[in-house]
């Protein structure tokens, strides 16, 4: 692994720690300190993810024209500011405004990392390198809750101070991003266009799976912590559960290279695992059963990303790889926005368990669809 890939992985690790430190606690903070309802929690999640429905398209175009490391450092800077501002939020609209900034920042973080890794990798090792990067991010997301637990329980730190600490940690990613930029020189300078949108239309099967996966993931990130809290889990319990969630994701990503040999079967298994985790969440009544649910969903959510991206990149010419990555991440943003948009209101109207029942049923349907379309859920194999 070369120097640029190492620096990108370190950047992912730092940002993951910050996300893990404040992310699972934000819904609890909004509900218990600010007084947000479940519908408002859904709106907070929606405002976080709405920018990710559009901004990645523009970032994807820039990836083929501007040094990717500079875009990455810009994302880290905006991200750090948005997390710090959470510490002074006094109302739901303020939190929503700051989460919009986070959504914009994430669009300048994830696609540039993917583009750098793709440019620095061969077809043979691309899945492995993307999986390793995601794994470093998830390791950070796993360590973050442990650090948060220590701060909340051991040092009696408040939620607001926790957000400030997370912001300062995130700021360190600016340094590693700039170091990576020295070698991240662009090779392609195609004309400014939105051709990537047409390219993504070639992969309807992948889009359907991604929207289900990311919609479910969006609910887990934005509403699930409050759901856990209402089911007797303390802030420390929630952080420990997300630590277990992180372990599941790390193990899954570490094995992604082997799973890639049977891509379609793995994606089908991932869909079933997410559906099973959602179903268990409905009947769970202890930290152990919630932990089992999160382990299953951790596998499903994590394995989708590197395998679906490889399907698309393997069938796309390298000259527009930046644009197609931007379009791919836009699909992610659509799913992340759909999840909280649906999950918040139906939780408020029909009960805490309802969104997990609804998405479990949808997941069963998506799994059956994936089985019927499994031949199209395989990447184009490279030649030795």
């Amino acid at each position: 692994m070369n120097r640029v890939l190492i620096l990108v992985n370190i950047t992912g690790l730092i940002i993951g720690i910050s996300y893990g430190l404040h992310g699972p606690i934000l819904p609890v903070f909004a509900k218990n300190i600010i007084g947000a309802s479940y519908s408002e929690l859904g709106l907070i999640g929606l405002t976080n993810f709405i920018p990710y429905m559009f901004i990645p398209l523009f970032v994807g175009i820039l990836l083929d024209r501007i040094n990717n490391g500079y875009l990455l450092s810009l994302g880290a800077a905006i991200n750090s500011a948005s997390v710090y501002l959470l510490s002074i939020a006094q109302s739901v609209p303020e939190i929503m405004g700051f989460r919009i900034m986070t959504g914009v920042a994430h669009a300048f973080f994830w696609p540039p990392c993917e583009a750098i890794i793709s440019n620095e990798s061969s077809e043979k090792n691309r899945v492995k390198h993307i999986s390793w990067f995601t794994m470093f991010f998830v390791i950070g997301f796993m360590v973050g809750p442990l650090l948060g637990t220590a701060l909340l329980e051991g040092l009696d730190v408040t939620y607001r101070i926790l957000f400030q600490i997370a912001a300062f940690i995130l700021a360190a990613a600016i340094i590693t991003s700039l170091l990576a930029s020295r070698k991240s020189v662009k090779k392609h300078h195609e004309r400014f266009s939105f051709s990537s949108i047409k390219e993504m239309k070639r992969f309807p099967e992948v889009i359907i799976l991604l929207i289900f996966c990311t919609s479910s993931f969006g609910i887990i990130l934005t509403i699930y912590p409050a759901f856990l809290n209402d089911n007797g889990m303390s802030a420390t319990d929630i952080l420990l559960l997300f630590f277990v969630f992180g372990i599941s994701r790390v193990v899954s990503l570490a094995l992604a290279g082997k799973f890639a040999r049977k891509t379609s079967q793995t994606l089908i298994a991932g869909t079933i695992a997410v559906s099973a985790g959602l179903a268990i969440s409905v009947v769970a009544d202890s930290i152990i059963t919630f932990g089992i649910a999160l382990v299953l969903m951790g596998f499903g959510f994590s394995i989708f990303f590197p395998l679906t991206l490889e399907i698309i990149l393997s069938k796309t010419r390298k000259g527009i790889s930046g644009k197609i990555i931007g379009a791919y991440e836009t699909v992610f943003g659509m799913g992340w926005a759909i999840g909280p948009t649906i999950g918040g209101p139906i939780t408020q109207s029909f009960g805490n368990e309802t969104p997990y029942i609804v998405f479990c049923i949808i997941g069963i349907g998506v799994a059956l669809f994936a089985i019927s379309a499994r031949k199209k859920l395989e990447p184009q194999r490279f030649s030795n």
Side-chain angles (χ1 to χ4, degrees):
M1 187 178 294
N2 65 32
R3 174 177 171 273
V4 174
L5 290 176
I6 291 171
L7 287 168
V8 171
N9 286 340
I10 292 172
T11 303
L13 176 68
I14 293 169
I15 294 178
I17 291 172
S18 176
Y19 277 26
L21 184 60
H22 82 275
I25 287 298
L26 179 58
V28 180
F29 166 77
K31 182 173 76 74
N32 293 346
I33 305 300
I34 303 298
S37 66
Y38 271 100
S39 291
E40 288 172 329
L41 289 179
L43 286 174
I44 290 170
L46 176 63
T47 55
N48 185 14
F49 298 133
I50 273 185
Y52 213 73
M53 294 174 61
F54 308 104
I55 305 298
L57 278 176
F58 295 96
V59 174
I61 293 169
L62 294 175
L63 290 176
D64 291 322
R65 304 173 67 87
I66 297 176
N67 188 300
N68 297 165
Y70 296 155
L71 296 175
L72 179 54
S73 60
L74 175 62
I78 299 172
N79 221 337
S80 179
S82 69
V83 174
Y84 183 85
L85 288 170
L86 288 174
S87 69
I88 63 172
Q90 300 292 335
S91 66
V92 169
E94 286 181 349
I95 295 177
M96 291 170 63
F98 300 147
R99 295 311 275 174
I100 288 174
M101 287 179 62
T102 303
V104 172
H106 198 71
F108 280 90
F109 157 58
W110 205 268
C113 288
E114 291 172 342
I116 292 171
I117 293 167
S118 179
N119 291 334
E120 296 287 334
S121 305
S122 65
E123 291 180 341
K124 184 176 181 180
N125 58 26
R126 184 165 53 202
V127 168
K128 181 180 73 174
H129 287 166
I130 288 176
S131 299
W132 273 81
F133 161 70
T134 311
M135 187 175 69
F136 271 91
F137 173 80
V138 172
I139 288 172
F141 199 88
M142 182 177 67
V143 171
L146 284 184
L147 180 57
T149 301
L151 292 170
L152 288 173
E153 296 293 320
L155 300 178
D156 199 25
V157 166
T158 66
Y159 293 150
R160 295 184 186 277
I161 297 297
L162 198 68
F163 295 151
Q164 292 176 6
I165 294 171
F168 288 127
I169 291 173
L170 222 165
I174 300 172
I175 299 172
T176 53
S177 301
L178 290 173
L179 289 173
S181 70
R182 295 180 183 178
K183 279 196 173 183
S184 183
V185 179
K186 290 311 302 166
K187 299 177 182 178
H188 309 292
H189 296 279
E190 293 207 348
R191 65 185 179 85
F192 198 85
S193 73
F194 290 96
S195 59
S196 55
I197 298 174
K198 295 181 181 179
E199 288 288 324
M200 279 300 296
K201 289 181 180 178
R202 295 169 46 213
F203 309 102
E205 299 80 12
V206 173
I207 290 173
I208 290 172
L209 263 69
L210 276 179
I211 288 180
F212 164 70
C213 173
T214 51
S215 297
S216 304
F217 203 178
I219 288 177
I220 299 304
L221 292 176
T222 59
I223 298 173
Y224 200 71
F227 170 70
L228 291 173
N229 188 237
D230 282 346
N231 279 273
M233 300 295 108
S234 67
T236 302
D237 292 335
I238 293 168
L239 289 171
L240 288 174
L241 283 168
F242 273 84
F243 172 70
V244 171
F245 182 57
I247 291 176
S248 173
R249 296 186 67 195
V250 168
V251 172
S252 301
L253 289 164
L255 298 173
K258 294 182 179 180
F259 287 137
R261 297 170 189 169
K262 296 183 177 180
T263 299
S264 60
Q265 293 95 322
T266 302
L267 290 174
I268 292 166
T271 306
I272 294 171
V274 171
S275 299
L278 292 168
I280 292 172
S281 296
V282 174
V283 298
D285 58 0
S286 69
I287 192 170
I288 294 174
T289 46
F290 279 122
I292 293 170
L294 283 168
V295 165
L296 288 170
M297 290 189 285
F299 163 72
F301 292 146
S302 299
I303 211 64
F304 265 90
F305 166 62
L307 298 191
T308 52
L309 181 59
E310 177 59 21
I311 291 171
I312 291 170
L313 289 178
S314 70
K315 299 176 182 180
T316 304
R317 59 191 176 90
K318 195 161 186 176
I320 61 167
S321 61
K323 298 185 186 73
I324 201 70
I325 286 171
Y328 173 85
E329 291 298 326
T330 293
V331 175
F332 259 71
M334 290 172 60
W336 275 336
I338 290 169
T341 302
I342 296 175
I346 65 175
T347 299
Q348 192 73 27
S349 301
F350 302 106
N352 290 3
E353 296 84 7
T354 311
Y356 312 107
I357 297 172
V358 170
F359 276 85
C360 174
I361 295 170
I362 293 172
I364 293 170
V366 171
L368 293 174
F369 168 78
I371 291 170
S372 67
R374 59 186 179 276
K375 290 183 179 179
K376 296 182 179 180
L377 294 173
E378 292 287 344
Q380 182 174 303
R381 303 297 178 182
F382 61 87
S383 302
N384 289 322

